[in-house]
Amino acid sequence: MRTVKISDSFLPSSVRKRVTPRTLVGIGVLWLTLCFIVPIVFLLYESLNFGEGHLLANYEQALAWTYINVLGRTFVYALVTTILTLILGYLTAYYIAFKSSRPMVLLALVLLPLWVAIIIRFFGVRLFFLQSGPVQQLFGTDFGILFSRNGVVLGLISALLPFAVLPMYNSLRAIDDDLINASRTLGAGQFQTLRSVILPLSFSGIVAATLFVFILAAGSYLAPSIMGGPANNMMANIIADTQSYSIPLASAMAVVFTGLLLILVGLFNHFANVSEVLGDL
Amino acid sequence: MLEVTGLTKTYGSLLAVDDLSFKLEQGEFATLLGPSGCGKSTTLHAIAGLREATAGTVYLRGEDVTDVPTNERNIGFVFQHSALFPHMTAKENITYGLKMQEFTGRDHDEQAEHFLEMVELGDHGDHKPTELSGGQQRRLSLARALAYEPDILLLDEPLTGLDRVLRETMRNEIKKIQREVDVTTLHVTHDQAEALSMSDRVIVMNDGQKEQEGPAKELYRNPQTEFVAEFVGKSTKFTGTAASPSAGGDGDGQVVAANATAVNVGDLQIHAAAAGGAADERLSLYVRPEEIDVHETPGGGDAVNSFSATVNHIEYLGHRNEIEATLEDGTNVTAYGDAAVDVEIGDEVTIQFDPEDVIVL
Amino acid sequence: MRARLERLGFIPPLVVVFTLLLLPVVIVVVTSLTTQQSPAIPYDGLTLEWYVELTQDRQIVSAIQTSVVVGVFASVLAGIMGTVTAFGLVRSEIRFKESLATVMLLPIMISPVIIGIAILRFGSSIGVPTGYPMIILAHSVLTFPFVFLIVRARLLTFDARLEDASRTLGANGLETAFNVTLPIVAPSIVAGMLLAFVISFGEFTATQFLTGVGTDTVPIYIYTQIQTGLSPVISALATALVALMIVTSYLGDRIT
């Protein structure tokens, strides 16, 4: 351990006085505003029609039936993914937290895929069901997974499971073992204990998992594009496609989609603090 | 060495320290004693410059240091729970202070070794703080604060979180080392036993104000306020108003507590509120447990201040017993009974104390 | 007995979960060793020829170079901004602190497609060229929340008394920052930057809009190959990437 001595005069006192935590927040906010918020707001500007016709003409188009259809599909896929991922994730988190004799190994295995680029994991899922893959070799069929709705949802579940397991495991781990013991000594059965003690106490983890999985699933571009067919395109794909021929329309769709998601996040924030919840990661 | 005048600290509308003044002489060991939230810790932090005071002045070595930054005050500070740097070894924790204070009295390495030896950590110089036991961490924290020979040592509840036995040994060690290096010390605690056993002088604080200051013995014997009487040491409390001499049965002064226990306090003439006495001053009487005798025979007695009581709690301390008993008027009495006094819960006993042992406030 | 039965009941869902999590990665690794011309399970012998080809394909080597450059710059930028913001937010007493912290996480919540398009459109309009500048900016925005979260979590548990202790020991503000605060927080900053590097290295969705001539990143290359026709070289490339990222994560773990 080397320590350094720095004279007070190293920085002029005017600079020292000005570098307060507030200044630091200011730097961060300014940077994020310039590189992220302004570009997003710029999309909002681009979605407006300043030419002939209605100012919101692009929105009329963006809310046309075909796009509403895709929007609906996006939310349905995201919802189904969220429900299935949550169930599988909770069972896994519960097992690791309470039943496993090697919790750290299992947890590491859950987290390992997070370090592997998502495109590679989708590629792996696809290889699995491809003509040359083990499933078709063994069974002669891909069970209708490839290039279908099922494929997209399967890919999403596979990609998002770690985001469900991690926060739920953390909240389960945080439950004092004695609370569970107390419930048992008070005469509650295993299921009763799960329902009246463990589930309510792990609620924050469930909320975090729901938020993560739903947001990431709804915004996914790669899952439909690698695992699905043209009929399974989600909003991200449609926006990307549209962008190549009509920026205003793509912008309008992006605004509608982002607006809806942010409203959902806002509703979420109402009964669970999002920044705290995401801090569980 | 240290002088604080008119120190005031407010947090919003909350007055944490209210116009506090006191003084420490060279080499003195003083303690700020008070319940949590009384402003004692805030005072210590203001002396160290870690918190800015709202008003008031701090003098160190006779200089006004109120606006001097912490790192230029040349103080030693021992924090609650040690605050040792986890990324440095025990020795590095000590040399850090030597280097930052630009200590020139001696080679830094030698000085660090010397202080490690002093706190019996000579063999632990290379250990990280997490590898040390709770007691060792506190000793290292003390060594770190003393190694660069500061003008004053500030101790902020340094024994918090240690178990009772360890706290008692640590008290003696701190006191011993403090004497050895002869450093002026200001100690903050809410533990009255700690304050009484370590300090030359105790400053009792309550609600941001100084209640009383003096040697431990004096605080115990002659508390000046009800707060001090109740906070420092155990006692039995009677309340009532003074009686005029004629109203009392024995001619001497007495007080009538809530349900008519007449307490004789010698020269003072006191009467019960219940009797509607002319004197309207409400008084509190305190009797220390060691001044109260417990007799196994029930029914009171002829002696002055001799009352019948029912034992409701006994704590066996070995050489003596702490006995709690209830008088007929409901007053709770705490007394130390000789180990030979053989009473049990529910027994009728007689308690007695002398008028001159009553503290009247 | 009952306990064992209960544990047995967990086996089916656990098998499903770990299959879904790990098999995709395993199959990528396995198919990179095939002797056939497409990424298949190697039933009849193993070969490393695809790894040799990997190093000889100029497009792949260029993509790896691009990804490394982007990853390094983006993670450093995200590391600096994330740390600065986390310090500021944790240490200051400002109103709407929690809401501001939530705003910092918006780049995770908004679809990367939209972030990509937004940065492309706004960047072009003010003259930022596509290629490195835009990709690096986009990646630093996308990874910024992760650094912010990790550093903030560390700072929230940081014992402020250590800084007080340093001050009483004679250190000024700068000395305290460099000798006490930074060494203790540094592992979290580094871990955040490594995570940022790994995310940047694997990012496809936003990047697809921002590449310029000769700045295809590895995921862009892989995606094109998946769409146009499959060679086991892709599996080999993906495997190499997996190895790199796992080594990175291991380093991150060692540090923190």
Side-chain angles (χ1 to χ4, degrees), chain B residues 29-350:
Chain B
F29 191 121
T31 297
L32 286 175
L33 172 68
S36 58
C38 73
K40 56 192 191 304
S41 224
T42 307
T43 304
L44 202 69
H45 281 83
I47 293 169
L50 292 170
R51 231 168 274 169
E52 215 173 310
T54 312
T57 318
V58 178
Y59 298 93
L60 274 174
R61 306 162 290 263
E63 295 163 40
D64 178 354
V65 297
T66 316
D67 295 320
V68 175
T70 302
N71 48 312
E72 289 163 25
R73 290 195 186 190
N74 196 26
I75 46 165
F77 200 111
V78 176
F79 290 81
Q80 272 183 41
H81 305 288
S82 310
L84 294 167
F85 302 124
H87 57 304
M88 301 183 193
T89 62
K91 195 170 166 183
E92 284 167 349
N93 263 280
I94 297 180
T95 45
Y96 182 75
L98 295 170
K99 187 168 175 185
M100 292 302 146
Q101 298 280 12
E102 292 168 6
F103 179 76
T104 51
R106 190 180 184 181
D107 179 69
H108 288 181
D109 220 48
E110 280 174 30
Q111 181 79 346
E113 292 288 350
H114 173 70
F115 272 85
L116 281 171
E117 293 290 341
M118 186 186 288
V119 296
E120 292 161 34
L121 287 171
D123 301 333
H124 295 73
D126 295 335
H127 291 215
K128 288 278 171 73
T130 44
E131 297 162 350
L132 300 175
S133 72
Q136 288 173 328
Q137 291 180 6
R138 307 303 161 109
R139 294 207 298 269
L140 175 57
S141 175
L142 183 66
R144 179 177 74 174
L146 289 172
Y148 48 88
E149 297 169 6
D151 296 320
I152 184 163
L153 177 65
L154 304 172
L155 304 170
D156 186 9
E157 310 226 12
L159 305 181
T160 315
L162 297 180
D163 65 62
R164 195 176 55 84
V165 179
L166 196 52
R167 271 209 309 270
E168 278 168 19
T169 8
M170 284 294 297
R171 275 185 210 164
N172 299 334
E173 285 203 41
I174 291 178
K175 188 68 195 154
K176 196 187 88 198
I177 291 169
Q178 186 263 342
R179 268 202 213 104
E180 204 172 314
V181 298
D182 189 30
V183 62
T184 314
T185 304
L186 182 60
H187 169 224
V188 154
T189 183
H190 63 270
D191 182 336
Q192 47 120 349
E194 208 174 290
L196 299 186
S197 66
M198 291 166 82
S199 335
D200 303 323
R201 192 151 54 94
V202 178
I203 300 163
V204 182
M205 279 183 74
N206 183 34
D207 277 341
Q209 289 176 321
K210 181 165 74 179
E211 287 277 335
Q212 187 179 350
E213 65 174 297
K217 204 169 168 186
E218 192 187 314
L219 290 178
Y220 188 76
R221 289 273 156 220
N222 292 313
Q224 300 297 309
T225 67
E226 291 187 21
F227 178 82
V228 176
E230 286 168 33
F231 193 73
V232 180
K234 290 187 177 179
S235 57
T236 298
K237 182 184 185 183
F238 300 92
T239 50
T241 45
S244 62
S246 56
D250 300 352
D252 274 341
Q254 47 186 227
V255 75
V256 181
N259 294 322
T261 300
V263 179
N264 192 314
V265 294
D267 299 340
L268 275 160
Q269 309 290 306
I270 297 169
H271 191 281
D280 53 0
E281 196 194 2
R282 201 165 168 75
L283 294 166
S284 296
L285 312 187
Y286 296 91
V287 190
R288 296 296 186 190
E290 62 273 16
E291 311 294 357
I292 300 179
D293 293 326
V294 181
H295 304 283
E296 290 165 42
T297 49
D302 297 335
V304 70
N305 291 338
S306 180
F307 308 109
S308 187
T310 311
V311 177
N312 60 33
H313 182 81
I314 305 169
E315 194 175 332
Y316 297 98
L317 301 173
H319 55 294
R320 66 182 184 196
N321 304 324
E322 188 178 310
I323 298 167
E324 277 179 35
T326 314
L327 299 188
E328 281 157 1
D329 68 352
T331 307
N332 261 315
V333 178
T334 305
Y336 294 142
D338 203 275
V341 178
D342 182 21
V343 294
E344 280 174 35
I345 291 175
D347 281 358
E348 289 279 326
V349 294
T350 298

